[in-house]
């Protein structure tokens, strides 16, 4: 016996789910109700599979959908396709007629009445016509009159009104149809169509090993034989820190305060030599002496304005004790110039306090304690300076581990005045010779690709560098760069989209297959009836493998 089963699918039910439903039902006729925008509508191949599998299972298959695209694909695959909303139905008027009644003609009369002679009809009407004073009661009668249907009892005026209303409805329907068709044309022409282009671009991998000579004296990279000359840049930073250490032994000690003074020359533009142990008097009258010989730069005079020359000098108190731990101050004098014009033109200032002056029992570091403390202070100071240089470096600058040079400018060990133990005060500077790694990559790319600059781009770059020792006086260093470079043609796909917009399928293929370094390409249009590239670049999708 022939049985029928209707199966309702969801939008995300694919071909596998539909086939399972087809095989799992015992019915010989299967109606698949497919919703609008179902993923089955992505290809006519899905419906061809359903048709083939239904024939294999000896089943009749019907597709039911309100999506015209689904119906079209099903029909193309040879499957009966129906729209459940707009399919033809019998008129319901015939269903409510009493049994035995004859169907009426187009004007609401029975066919047998139309065959009666006019005289007999007239006599019958007279017999059936009630008296003037007779009341007519009709119970259970129902009239069903379709719009614009001719009713015999209507007057001429009613017939004219019906025709007028019908014309208005036709006009409104026609206008709506034009709007719908225009909207459909816009969607089908500008919104729906798109083209997807999948391309695989050839990539080339090469190995390299080049001696590299970095120098601050050059500005552009160049090859001399196999050696790459590369511009370099020196970065520098200076800082200080103070650390406290709690170890040591108790001893009676006397220490002198020390610190740094800034000496100013407002006397002349000529430099002034100051020998070691030059005396400086603080505003409190405390005597300090310079630790080393210095030369104070001359003043600079520009547009009648003098800018004093200045230099820093380390000083130590003439006597031990905490009285010499003076704070920051200005107005320090040089008694050696007293009685000369230089006395008022040379001055000094303590920008930081003098510290370390002490007499009494305190913790004194042992020889090992002192060595360990100095090493720790030096390492921490170097790390601080490396962090400062990393902030100064731009993203593309490369600093090799051996391309830095740390210098400990000064180191001072003093007993702690607050707690037991001792303090280490260290001042240092760090220099670093860096180079632009992106510049190195592009120079190697140009040397191996034999292409003009800009036609190739780097896809992957792996490199290792040999050890190096920079010469900061000359601003040079040398090392060897070894690694692999993967590159490909530099294609601007945004320009490609603009160029192919509106092209025919043949012109598109000629353009795509003419791209440099193309290995393979696949072009697909959607919907299936589209044969030209959309004019809107946003509807052009290029996928690079």
């Amino acid at each position: 016996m022939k049985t029928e089963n209707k199966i309702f699918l969801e939008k995300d039910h694919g071909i596998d789910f539909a086939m399972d439903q087809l095989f799992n039902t015992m019915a010989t006729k299967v109606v698949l109700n497919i919703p609008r925008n179902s993923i089955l509508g992505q290809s006519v191949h899905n419906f061809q599979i359903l048709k083939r599998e239904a024939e294999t299972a000896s089943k009749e298959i019907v597709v039911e959908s309100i999506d015209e695209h689904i119906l079209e694909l099903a029909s193309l695959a040879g499957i009966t396709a129906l729209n459940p909303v707009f399919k033809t139905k019998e008129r319901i008027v015939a269903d409510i007629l009493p049994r035995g009644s004859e169907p009426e003609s187009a004007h609401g009369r029975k066919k047998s009445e139309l065959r009666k002679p006019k005289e007999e009809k007239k006599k019958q009407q007279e017999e059936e016509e009630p008296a003037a004073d007779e009341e007519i009661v009709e119970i259970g009668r129902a009239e069903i009159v379709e719009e614009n249907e001719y009713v015999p009892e209507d007057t001429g005026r009613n017939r004219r009104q019906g025709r007028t209303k019908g014309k208005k409805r036709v006009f409104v329907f026609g206008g709506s149809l034009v709007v719908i068709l225009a909207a459909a044309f816009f969607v089908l022409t500008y919104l729906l169509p798109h083209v997807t282009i999948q391309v695989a671009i050839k990539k080339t991998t090469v190995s390299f090993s080049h001696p590299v000579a970095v120098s601050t004296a050059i500005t552009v990279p160049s090859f001399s034989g196999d050696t790459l000359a590369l511009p370099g840049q020196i970065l520098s930073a200076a800082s200080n820190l103070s650390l406290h250490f709690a170890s040591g032994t108790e001893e009676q000690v006397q220490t002198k305060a020390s610190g740094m003074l800034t000496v100013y020359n407002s006397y002349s533009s000529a430099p002034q030599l100051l020998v070691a142990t030059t005396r400086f008097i603080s505003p409190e009258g405390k005597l300090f002496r310079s630790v080393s010989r210095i030369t104070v730069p001359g003043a600079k005079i520009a547009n009648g304005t003098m800018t004093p020359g200045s230099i820093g000098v380390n000083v130590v108190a003439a006597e031990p004790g905490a009285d010499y731990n003076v704070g920051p101050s200005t107005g320090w004098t040089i008694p050696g110039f007293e009685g000369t014009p230089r006395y008022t033109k040379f001055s000094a200032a303590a920008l930081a306090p003098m510290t370390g002056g002490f007499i009494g029992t305190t913790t004194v570091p042992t020889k090992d304690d002192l060595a360990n403390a100095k090493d720790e202070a030096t390492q921490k100071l170097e790390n601080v300076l490396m962090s400062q240089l990393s902030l100064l470096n731009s993203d593309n600058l490369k600093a090799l581990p051996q391309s830095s040079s740390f210098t400990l400018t000064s180191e001072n060990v003093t007993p702690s005045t607050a707690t037991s133990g001792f303090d280490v005060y260290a001042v240092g500077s760090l220099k670093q010779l860096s180079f632009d790694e992106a510049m190195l990559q592009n120079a190697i790319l140009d040397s191996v690709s034999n292409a003009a600059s800009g036609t190739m781009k780097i896809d992957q770059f792996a490199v290792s560098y040999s050890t190096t020792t920079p010469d900061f006086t000359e601003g040079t260093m040398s090392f060897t760069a070894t690694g692999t470079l993967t590159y490909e043609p530099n294609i601007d796909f945004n320009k490609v989209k603009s160029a192919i917009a509106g092209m025919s399928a043949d012109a598109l293929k000629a353009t795509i297959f003419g791209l440099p370094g193309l290995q393979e390409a696949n072009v697909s249009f959607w919907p299936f009836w589209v044969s030209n590239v959309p004019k809107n670049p946003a509807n052009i999708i290029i996928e690079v493998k």
Side-chain angles (χ1 to χ4, degrees), residues 411-467:
E411 191 175 44
N412 189 26
V413 179
T414 59
S416 177
T417 57
T419 59
S420 61
F422 62 96
D423 297 325
V424 176
Y425 177 76
V427 180
S429 63
L430 181 69
K431 292 182 179 180
Q432 193 175 74
L433 183 53
S434 305
F435 60 92
D436 190 331
E437 191 171 47
M439 189 178 292
L440 177 141
Q441 294 178 10
N442 290 325
I444 295 176
L445 173 63
D446 289 343
S447 69
V448 300
S449 65
N450 296 319
S453 177
T455 61
M456 293 290 172
K457 68 176 182 179
I458 297 172
D459 182 64
Q460 292 182 345
F461 183 79
V463 63
S464 61
Y465 303 101
S466 65
T467 58

Side-chain angles (χ1 to χ4, degrees), residues 261 279-289 315 317 323-335 343 348-350 354:
L261 291 176
R279 293 173 297 162
F280 293 88
I281 303 296
S282 72
E284 298 88 355
K286 301 298 182 181
L287 175 62
F288 286 76
R289 292 181 180 272
V315 294
D323 291 343
Y324 285 82
N325 294 331
V326 297
S329 57
T330 59
W332 289 60
T333 59
I334 303 175
Y343 184 71
M354 302 294 167

Side-chain angles (χ1 to χ4, degrees), residues 129-199:
E129 188 174 287
D133 56 349
E134 185 178 354
E135 182 178 0
I136 301 175
V137 178
E138 296 185 64
I139 301 176
R141 182 183 176 190
E143 284 190 344
I144 297 180
V145 181
E146 293 184 356
E147 291 182 357
N148 299 329
E149 183 178 358
Y150 174 77
V151 181
E153 288 78 9
D154 279 352
T155 64
R157 179 180 178 183
N158 290 337
R159 290 194 297 271
R160 287 193 300 272
Q161 289 178 347
R163 287 194 295 269
T164 302
K165 291 180 180 179
K167 291 180 179 179
K168 290 182 179 179
R169 293 189 184 95
V170 170
F171 177 78
V172 172
F173 176 77
S176 301
L177 183 60
V178 170
V179 173
I180 293 172
L181 292 176
F185 176 80
F186 176 79
V187 171
L188 294 177
T189 305
Y190 296 100
L191 299 184
L192 284 183
H194 66 261
V195 61
T196 300
I197 306 169
Q198 295 178 327
V199 295

Side-chain angles (χ1 to χ4, degrees), residues 173-231:
F173 176 77
S176 301
L177 183 60
V178 170
V179 173
I180 293 172
L181 292 176
F185 176 80
F186 176 79
V187 171
L188 294 177
T189 305
Y190 296 100
L191 299 184
L192 284 183
H194 66 261
V195 61
T196 300
I197 306 169
Q198 295 178 327
V199 295
I201 303 300
K202 180 181 179 181
K203 297 181 180 181
T204 304
T205 301
V206 295
S207 300
F208 62 87
S209 182
H210 291 289
V212 180
V214 178
S215 174
T216 58
I218 63 176
T219 57
V220 293
S222 61
F223 271 94
S224 177
D226 197 39
T227 300
L228 171 60
L230 201 63

